Every structure is written in C-alpha cells, then in structure tokens.
C-alpha cells in the first residue's frame, strides 16, 4: 500500500509517498481501507517535531480517518467487513490502509460523507468533551469561541449552539466569521486588529462570557482572562497562536473563575465509556441535523503538502481532508 511518510522533522514538502507493507491485523483490531484522512493542527506540529508526543520515524501523519472495513481481527464480533466507518487513530492516517482497535471504530451514519466522517473523531470528540464534561456548559450561558472557523472551533460553535448556549464566534477574517455564522453563531467578533476583550464586553453588557473555548492561546489568552464572567470557565484547548501564555492567577481570584485544561486524547484513553456515550450523542445531533460538519477543502493524496500548508498558513476552514481513495 502507499503511505505519506515522514523520515525526519521538516516542512510538509520533506514528506514523501512510498510503498510499504499493509499493516498486520491483530486480535481485537480491524483493517480499514482508508477513503479520507482528515488533518488536524497536531499533524503540522508532529512533522516539525513540535508536538507533545512524537512517534518514532518513519511515520505517516494523520490522526483520523474514514473508510471501509476490509478485514476483522480475531475476536471482533460487533463489526463486519464492508461497513463504512470512521476512527481516531492518533497517527498513521495518510495511508491506504490502517489498523485500529475495534472499540475505537464508529459506524458512519448513512447520509454522512467520507470526508465529513474523517473529521468527526478529533474535532467533535474534543469540543463536546470540552463543553460538556469540562465546562459543564448550561443552556442560556454565553459561549465565546476563538478560532471559530477552524477544526475544533467550528465544532465548538455548532455543539455550543446545539447545547442551548448563546454563541459568540471570534476569528481573524470576515470569510471565517461568515462560516461560523452559517454554523449557528449568534454574534461575531473579528479580532484581526488584536482587540477581543472590549468587543466581548460590549456583547455581554459588560459581564463577559460564561465559557471561553480557546484553541489559539498566545496574546488572546490574556484578553480571555479579562473578559470571562464571574464564575466563568476558560477552556485551555490549544496554542495555534504560537506560544503558551502564562495565567495571571490574581484574575482567577478576582473573577472566581476556573481555567480548565482539555486533553481529549487522555480523556478518551482513560474514560472510553464516557467518550463512547459522547459519540452516541454527537451522532444523534447529526441525525437531528443540529450539526453538519464543514469540510472546507479536499486534496488528492499526492497533494499532502498543500493540505498541510492550509493549516500551517492559517487558511483552513472547518476540516481539510486528504482523499486517499478518489
Ligand atoms: N486539547 C485537546 O485535546 C486538543 C484536541 C484537538 C486539537 N487541539 C488543538 O487545538 C488547536 C486547533 O486545532 P485545529 O486542528 O482545529 O486547527 P485549525 O483547523 O488549523 O484551526 C486553528 C485556528 O487557530 C487560529 N490561529 C491563530 N493563529 C494561528 C496561526 N498562527 N496559525 C494557524 N492558525 C492560527 C485560526 O483561526 P483565526 O485565523 O480565526 O485566528 C485557525 O482557524 C491546536 O493547537 C490543536 O493542537 C487540542
């Protein structure tokens, strides 16, 4: 089979497509013929050697895929060959076939496309866990989402709206905000001028947001700490803004607020039962047409570098997917 391999840390162009043996299917695993692999910001960080956990060389990037089950490992009874499925696999998705533990595989709803399904595992898994278990978001609360047209951000906008929150989407361009509006955002903030705090205060009668979902970090995080409502929750999701900010702990005291870490990979490994329940609810929201995953761009497998650059150059809208099988 073909795979896009990283042999040394470097830019997207340093990867190459190679012929490698198909993975062996162990007990309790399934082999998936990959149709689409969705990209996430960690793929960009991983090939540059900047992610928090690094696989050994050579590795194929790609943390999540959709496709068709080609073979079942010993003891797998709940799935069958030929089913259309999606799975979060962490790494290895830029390949024609992957193996994954059967309990991490989810069956695709009939009307979901392979590209939509490829991008479900990480973004919706992360954002639902963040809003439900970590922020305990309540109907009627105000949710501010930064990077609101990116992968996890746009999922947070849709899920926050479906959970009954008033959603303020914040992003860096009018085009990105238009997509967030289409996904259900009630209010929009363009922070391309570096201003966030005052704009949030204006939209919340001076109180600030009850929950802030922050996948960006950097300079904007400090402003988040200054526009969080009394007893609000600031969700620390990621640092695409380039650096990891410091928390002014006096503001935690003054606002009676919480700064809450979100680590979806660890949550899903430690508590697979709650994660599975979350996905039942997420797929139910899809069936009710309360969420509709946005795929902003698709690329053929050979254009893996262009796909990765979409994320690293801040151009991604919703999910970017690599079509492994056209
Ligand atoms: N904690 C967890 O469990 C977890 C799980 C999944 C992902 N994450 C993290 O969440 C973050 C977002 O991931 P994603 O896959 O959703 O990425 P994405 O689709 O590329 O979206 C990232 C967003 O960050 C904003 N951004 C600000 N400065 C940027 C820069 N210099 N370069 C690129 N984007 C920039 C962009 O929005 P604007 O242009 O509108 O600012 C962009 O839409 C990453 O840090 C990732 O590691 C965390």
């Amino acid at each position: 089979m073909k795979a896009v391999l990283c042999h040394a840390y470097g830019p997207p162009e340093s990867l190459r497509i190679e012929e490698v043996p198909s993975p062996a299917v162990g007990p309790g695993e399934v082999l998936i013929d990959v149709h689409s692999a969705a990209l996430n910001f960690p793929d960009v960080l991983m090939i540059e050697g900047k992610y928090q956990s690094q696989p050994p060389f050579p590795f194929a990037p790609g943390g999540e895929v959709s496709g068709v089950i080609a073979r079942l490992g010993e003891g797998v009874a709940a799935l069958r060959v030929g089913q259309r499925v999606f799975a979060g696999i962490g790494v290895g998705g830029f390949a024609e076939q992957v193996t994954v533990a059967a309990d991490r595989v989810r069956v695709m709803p009939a009307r979901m496309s392979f590209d939509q399904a490829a991008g479900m595992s990480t973004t919706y898994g992360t954002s639902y866990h963040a809003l439900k278990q970590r922020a305990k978001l309540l109907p009627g609360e105000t949710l501010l989402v930064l990077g609101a047209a990116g992968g996890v951000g746009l999922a947070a906008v849709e899920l926050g709206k479906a959970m009954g929150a008033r959603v303020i989407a914040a992003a860096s361009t009018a085009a990105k905000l238009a997509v967030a509006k289409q996904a259900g955002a009630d209010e929009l903030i363009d922070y391309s001028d570096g201003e966030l705090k005052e704009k949030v205060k204006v939209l919340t009668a001076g109180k600030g947001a009850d929950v802030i979902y922050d996948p960006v970090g950097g300079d904007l995080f400090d402003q988040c700490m200054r526009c969080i409502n009394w007893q609000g929750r600031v969700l620390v999701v990621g640092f695409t803004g380039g650096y990891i900010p410091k928390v002014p702990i006096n503001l935690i005291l003054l606002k009676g607020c919480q700064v809450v870490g979100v680590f979806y990979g660890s949550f899903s490994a430690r508590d697979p039962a709650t994660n599975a329940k979350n996905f039942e609810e997420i797929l139910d929201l899809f069936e009710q047409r309360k969420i509709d995953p946005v795929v902003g761009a698709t690329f053929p497998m050979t254009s893996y570098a262009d796909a990765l650059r979409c994320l690293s150059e801040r151009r991604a809208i919703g999910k970017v997917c690599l079509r492994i099988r056209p």
Side-chain angles (χ1 to χ4, degrees):
M1 67 159 191
K2 288 189 173 55
V4 178
L5 290 185
C6 176
H7 285 272
Y9 299 133
E13 292 72 22
S14 64
L15 304 176
R16 46 180 201 257
I17 296 186
E18 288 175 30
E19 200 66 41
V20 295
S22 286
V25 195
E29 291 184 339
V30 299
L31 179 73
I32 299 174
D33 281 340
V34 178
H35 280 243
S36 181
L39 280 76
N40 291 283
F41 209 78
D43 299 322
V44 172
L45 299 175
M46 224 178 255
I47 63 166
E48 292 176 352
K50 295 178 184 164
Y51 194 52
Q52 56 215 17
S53 62
Q54 289 292 148
F57 294 121
F59 66 89
E64 49 182 355
V65 297
S66 64
V68 175
I69 296 183
R71 202 177 310 156
L72 302 177
E74 200 187 310
V76 178
L79 296 164
R80 56 183 168 70
V81 169
Q83 268 178 323
R84 292 168 9 116
V85 294
F86 64 95
I89 55 172
V91 69
F94 289 12
E96 288 180 326
Q97 293 187 311
V98 299
T99 50
V100 57
D103 58 7
R104 294 175 65 181
V105 172
R106 292 173 220 292
V107 176
M108 285 169 56
R111 68 176 182 84
M112 189 178 272
S113 72
F114 278 121
D115 294 325
Q116 281 187 313
M120 291 294 295
S121 300
T122 305
T123 47
Y124 287 87
T126 300
S127 295
Y128 200 56
H129 166 57
L131 297 177
K132 187 171 180 184
Q133 279 92 31
R134 303 304 287 141
K136 298 181 171 51
L137 179 69
L138 296 171
E141 285 192 314
T142 300
L143 167 69
L144 168 67
V145 180
L146 272 55
V152 293
L154 200 53
V157 169
E158 282 191 295
L159 291 169
K161 192 69 194 159
M163 291 164 82
R166 173 186 179 228
V167 178
I168 304 175
S172 66
T173 69
K176 288 183 175 185
L177 288 169
V179 173
K181 174 94 185 151
Q182 187 71 28
D186 299 287
E187 313 280 356
L188 306 174
I189 290 177
D190 185 335
Y191 54 52
S192 55
D193 56 4
E195 295 295 320
L196 176 68
K197 178 186 71 166
E198 290 307 331
K199 294 175 183 176
V200 175
K201 291 272 181 75
V202 167
L203 291 175
T204 56
K207 290 182 180 168
D210 300 306
V211 173
I212 301 181
Y213 184 99
D214 180 14
V216 178
D219 290 338
L220 291 175
F221 179 83
D222 190 63
Q223 295 194 54
C224 290
M225 289 303 300
R226 293 166 201 279
C227 63
I228 185 74
N229 197 0
W230 170 247
Q231 293 192 339
R233 288 84 76 203
V234 180
L235 295 165
V236 178
V237 181
F239 313 106
T240 54
Y243 71 91
I244 298 174
K246 299 261 184 295
V247 185
I249 59 171
N250 60 318
L251 293 182
I252 301 178
L253 180 156
L254 290 171
K255 305 243 178 186
C257 71
Q258 299 172 53
V259 178
V260 186
V262 177
F263 189 0
Y264 176 63
S266 206
F267 158 73
S268 57
R270 287 163 188 261
D271 192 353
T274 305
N275 188 40
K277 172 94 175 19
N278 281 358
F279 263 95
E280 279 173 26
E281 293 173 11
I282 290 166
L283 292 177
D284 200 39
L285 291 173
F286 178 80
E287 294 295 11
Q288 293 175 45
R289 298 178 190 260
K290 290 190 172 168
I291 60 170
D292 188 16
V294 174
V295 177
T298 57
F299 293 85
M301 189 178 183
T302 47
S303 299
Y304 56 84
D306 294 335
L308 286 160
R309 288 220 171 276
C310 252
L311 276 77
S312 64
E313 293 172 358
R314 205 173 173 173
R315 288 184 280 113
I317 289 196
K319 294 300 295 188
V320 174
C321 292
L322 208 54
R323 290 256 172 88
I324 304 295
R325 281 179 170 73

